[in-house]
């Protein structure tokens, strides 16, 4: 366990929304107390065959008038490359539990059309299959996280898919892959054995799924130098029964995939709007996001009991904001706008993930393009980067960095009615280059923070930073104003051992503190 877990217990001082003057906050960064490595895979992505996430969002086909690279939109690919994406989870999601991989290989004109019964009963052309997905992953320099079909599939089908991908011999499936245009095996570091098997993946009980998992993984075989980590389907929110049962499976499990969506609803309806919301909705939504901390703590406590050596990782392979769909869009396509509030949702979650870096091996935001809390929105030839995209780009400093403790002391809280949230969320790490990366979030919708951060363990005379904020609580980018929310430079001073700056209301600030020479 890391020291971060103690910090959530720090006392708070409440401020009402009527207190709009700058608030003084002091934190302490222990750069001389290195902790766990923040796995770069915490910044993973998720691309499901859902709505326009794949088709029109990523894939337009090689004959499209939209500039493309072997069928994938050039503008989207180039934008995603800047995020240094570590992995992509594919093909779902619930879609994975009805996906038969052989439908997506061979000449595209000969591939069968299926119906996507999970997401709108629309036609699935299978134009994007195994070869296309790995082509995209290689373009982006991302690892593959394949989710296999447990719900409607069989152990034989899943085992043959893994063999098709990884076989380096002359087996029939290796020869089939070569006949379809790929000579060398692909690397597949992560393999999910089903998705949400407590619901869309079969409505199973934890005990039953544990036996199903044992059966399927018995036949998942690959070359010793290309054997993926096997990820079991886990539970949802605070239900730890699945984690308890699955973490006792034994040596055939490397991780448990758990899901947490930020939604202000208990019945999956009336989730609120992505824009045009009120301040009380701002507070309610961010309060739900902060519950991720308790969610992770509960599941990790079970793992600590059943797996004290820390072998089994936590994979939060679906998370993010979920609202009502955009007006006029297909209700099953899950398209929603993305505002500065969602940027803060992402940044807060990253700070939480950093606290538990000793257990969290991967997370995957839902989803990469056009679906839920997306990085990118497209409409025909147009494309825009969302505020959440910028959060990912600003946090590349944290990939494989070493977490260090942040003592937030008596951080004030800000309240609206009976909802109170901390004003500041923070985390810090020593980057791979040896400098200090600091992430600071001001959760208040309208109060600036005068922040002093004492840094122990690094002497520096040089610091740079960027801020992401907006004029309104729902500031967002549109195709007409695509740069309304984007990172800007921020002024930071160094006085003695303190970093001093002002965090604007509703903002994310990421700092890079360069070590002085000789350290």
């Amino acid at each position: 366990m890391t020291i971060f877990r103690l910090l959530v217990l720090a006392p708070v001082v409440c401020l009402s929304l009527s207190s709009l003057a700058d608030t003084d906050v002091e934190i302490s960064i222990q750069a001389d107390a290195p902790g766990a490595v923040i796995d770069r895979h915490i910044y993973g992505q998720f691309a499901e065959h859902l709505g326009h996430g794949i088709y029109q969002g990523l894939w337009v086909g090689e004959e499209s008038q939209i500039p493309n690279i072997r069928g994938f939109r050039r503008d989207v690919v180039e934008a995603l490359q800047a995020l240094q994406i570590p992995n992509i989870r594919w093909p779902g999601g619930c879609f994975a539990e009805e996906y038969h991989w052989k439908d997506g290989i061979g000449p595209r004109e000969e591939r069968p059309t299926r119906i996507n019964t999970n997401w709108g009963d629309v036609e699935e052309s299978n134009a994007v299959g195994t070869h296309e997905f790995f082509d995209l992953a290689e373009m982006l320099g991302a690892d593959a996280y394949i989710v296999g079909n447990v719900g409607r599939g069989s152990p034989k089908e899943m085992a043959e898919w893994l063999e098709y991908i990884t076989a380096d011999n002359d087996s029939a499936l290796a020869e089939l892959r070569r006949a379809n245009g790929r000579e060398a095996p692909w690397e597949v570091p992560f393999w999910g054995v089903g998705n949400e098997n407590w619901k869309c993946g079969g409505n199973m009980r934890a005990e039953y799924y544990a036996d199903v998992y044992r059966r399927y993984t018995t036949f998942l075989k690959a070359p010793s130098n290309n054997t993926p980590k096997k990820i079991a389907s886990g539970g949802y929110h605070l239900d730890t029964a699945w984690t308890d049962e699955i973490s006792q499976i034994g040596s055939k499990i490397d991780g448990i995939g758990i899901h947490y969506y930020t939604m202000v609803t208990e019945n999956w309806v009336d989730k609120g709007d992505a824009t045009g919301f009120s301040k009380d909705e701002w507070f309610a939504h961010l309060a739900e996001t902060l519950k991720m901390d308790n969610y992770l703590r509960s599941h990790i406590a079970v793992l600590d009991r059943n797996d004290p050596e820390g072998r089994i990782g936590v994979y939060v392979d679906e998370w993010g904001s979920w609202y009502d769909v955009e007006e006029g869009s297909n209700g099953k396509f899950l398209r929603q706008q993305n505002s500065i509030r969602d940027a803060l949702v992402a940044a807060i979650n990253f700070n939480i993930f950093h606290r538990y870096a000793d257990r969290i091996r991967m997370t995957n935001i839902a989803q990469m393009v056009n679906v839920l809390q997306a990085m990118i929105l497209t409409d025909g030839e147009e494309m825009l980067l969302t505020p959440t995209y910028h959060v990912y780009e600003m946090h590349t400093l944290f990939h494989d960095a070493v977490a260090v403790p942040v003592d937030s002391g008596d951080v004030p809280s800000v309240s609206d009615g009976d909802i109170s949230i901390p004003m500041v969320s923070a985390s810090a790490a020593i980057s791979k280059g040896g400098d200090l990366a600091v992430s600071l979030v001001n959760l208040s919708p309208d109060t600036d923070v005068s922040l002093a951060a004492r840094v122990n363990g690094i002497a520096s005379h040089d610091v740079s930073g960027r801020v992401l904020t907006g004029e309104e609580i729902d500031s967002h980018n549109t195709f007409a104003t695509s740069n309304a929310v984007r990172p800007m430079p921020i002024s930071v001073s160094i006085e003695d051992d303190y970093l001093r700056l002002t965090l604007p209301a509703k903002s994310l600030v990421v700092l890079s503190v360069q070590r002085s020479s000789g350290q």
Side-chain angles (χ1 to χ4, degrees):
M1 302 306 157
T2 69
I3 192 171
F4 287 98
R5 299 187 192 180
L6 302 177
L7 304 181
V8 297
L9 302 178
V12 296
V13 179
C14 290
L15 299 173
S16 69
L17 286 177
S18 61
S19 177
L20 301 182
D22 282 8
T23 299
D24 293 329
V25 171
E26 182 173 332
I27 65 174
S28 177
I29 301 171
Q30 308 299 325
D32 52 356
V37 172
I38 299 169
D39 199 311
R40 65 190 176 92
H41 290 293
I42 283 175
Y43 291 89
Q45 296 287 333
F46 177 26
E48 183 170 7
H49 288 242
L50 193 172
H52 293 145
I54 300 293
Y55 304 110
Q56 299 184 36
L58 285 163
W59 178 266
V60 290
E62 295 164 324
E63 305 303 319
S64 174
Q65 294 301 306
I66 298 174
N68 65 85
I69 306 172
R70 297 185 295 280
F72 290 100
R73 291 182 62 129
R74 181 178 294 276
D75 54 357
V76 171
V77 168
E78 291 177 349
L80 292 174
Q81 286 171 336
L83 299 185
Q84 302 175 32
I85 292 171
N87 68 80
I88 308 172
R89 182 175 184 249
W90 175 87
C94 291
F95 178 82
E97 295 291 13
E98 297 190 5
Y99 180 66
H100 299 287
W101 68 272
K102 287 185 178 179
D103 290 346
I105 62 173
R108 291 192 200 101
E109 64 275 11
E110 297 178 11
R111 297 179 189 178
T113 296
R114 306 294 186 192
I115 301 300
N116 189 335
T117 62
N118 282 291
W119 303 116
D121 290 328
V122 295
E123 292 184 353
E124 164 61 55
S125 69
N126 284 300
V128 173
T130 302
H131 290 252
E132 290 78 14
F133 167 70
F134 276 98
D135 189 22
L136 174 66
E138 289 175 348
M139 282 187 224
L140 300 180
D143 286 343
Y145 178 9
I146 298 289
V147 181
N149 181 348
V150 168
R152 291 185 63 179
S154 66
K156 178 177 183 290
E157 181 182 24
M158 191 182 295
E160 287 184 344
W161 195 9
L162 181 58
E163 181 182 347
Y164 182 88
I165 291 169
T166 63
D168 56 3
N169 49 35
D170 294 329
S171 73
L173 287 167
E175 290 300 320
L176 179 60
R177 184 193 67 235
R178 296 183 182 107
N180 287 328
R182 175 72 181 196
E183 175 64 30
W186 293 287
E187 291 186 5
V188 55
F190 307 100
W191 194 279
V193 184
N195 168 81
E196 292 187 0
N197 296 98
W198 47 270
K199 189 181 180 184
C200 65
N203 285 301
M204 302 178 192
R205 295 175 297 109
E207 297 83 358
Y208 180 77
Y209 171 75
D211 284 339
V212 168
Y213 179 92
R214 290 183 180 95
R215 181 185 178 208
Y216 275 67
T217 54
T218 297
F219 302 100
L220 286 177
K221 300 174 182 179
S224 59
N225 64 347
N226 194 10
T227 297
K229 293 184 182 299
K230 299 175 183 65
I231 318 305
S233 169
Y236 182 74
H237 280 202
L238 289 174
D239 178 11
T240 59
W242 277 68
T243 299
D244 189 25
E245 183 69 34
I246 294 165
S247 59
Q248 300 180 64
I249 284 175
S251 62
K252 290 184 178 295
I253 181 171
D254 297 293
I256 299 176
I258 56 179
H259 298 169
Y260 182 91
Y261 284 99
T262 297
M263 292 189 297
V264 187
T265 180
E266 295 181 357
N267 57 8
W268 288 83
V269 297
D270 300 325
K271 294 183 284 292
D273 294 326
T275 59
F277 49 84
S278 61
K279 281 186 181 176
D280 63 331
E281 291 175 285
W282 168 280
F283 277 85
H285 197 75
L286 293 188
E288 287 298 312
T289 291
L290 289 164
K291 290 179 182 179
M292 176 70 87
D293 189 281
N294 185 48
Y295 171 56
L296 291 173
R297 202 160 1 105
S298 299
H299 286 272
I300 289 172
V302 174
L303 285 177
D304 288 345
R305 183 178 68 245
N306 295 344
D307 175 44
E309 68 275 16
R311 187 181 59 81
I312 301 173
V314 172
Y315 289 66
V316 190
D317 49 18
E318 288 187 29
W319 66 274
S321 294
W322 195 325
Y323 307 109
D324 294 335
V325 300
E326 280 189 3
E327 186 176 353
S329 67
N330 187 318
K332 288 288 189 176
F333 282 13
L334 306 187
R335 184 183 176 99
Q336 60 188 42
Q337 250 296 354
N338 190 301
S339 75
I340 189 64
R341 179 176 66 171
D342 301 300
L344 268 57
V345 165
I348 292 166
N349 274 297
F350 288 151
N351 287 342
I352 294 171
F353 297 152
H354 296 168
R355 292 172 195 159
Y356 300 98
D358 53 346
R359 271 289 183 184
I360 297 181
R361 310 288 156 75
M362 180 189 293
T363 84
N364 306 80
I365 194 168
Q367 293 186 9
M368 196 155 67
V369 182
N370 285 336
V371 176
L372 296 175
Q373 192 175 345
M375 307 297 105
I376 290 171
L377 298 177
T378 68
D379 184 7
E381 296 182 356
E382 295 185 289
M383 182 205 77
L384 64 81
L385 309 179
T386 70
T388 298
Y389 172 95
H390 295 302
V391 177
Y392 271 78
E393 187 275 324
M394 293 169 72
H395 277 78
T396 54
L397 288 171
F398 287 88
H399 291 199
D400 291 329
V402 177
V404 298
V406 177
D407 185 351
S408 300
D410 296 341
V411 171
S413 67
V414 61
S415 60
D416 178 63
D418 59 355
I419 298 178
S420 181
I421 59 177
M423 181 170 278
V424 174
S425 169
S427 69
I430 304 300
S431 72
K432 289 191 295 184
D435 296 328
L436 177 68
V438 183
S439 175
L440 304 164
V441 185
N442 181 354
L443 283 66
S444 172
D446 43 22
T447 304
D448 294 348
V449 170
S450 295
L451 184 131
R454 180 178 180 85
V455 180
N456 299 314
I458 286 184
S460 176
H461 301 287
D462 191 10
V463 58
S464 59
R466 289 185 294 163
V467 59
L468 186 71
T469 188
E471 294 184 5
E472 307 295 335
I473 60 174
D474 70 341
S475 290
H476 57 279
N477 295 329
T478 69
F479 295 111
T481 57
S482 59
N483 286 315
V485 181
R486 68 188 189 280
M488 301 292 288
I490 191 170
S491 177
V492 187
S493 64
I494 300 178
E495 300 176 17
D496 299 323
D497 294 326
Y498 283 87
L499 304 173
R500 297 187 183 274
L501 69 157
T502 297
L503 304 180
K506 54 187 179 303
S507 71
L508 161 69
V509 172
V510 174
L511 305 177
S512 177
V513 184
Q514 287 77 45
R515 289 178 181 268
S516 296
S517 59
Q519 278 195 296

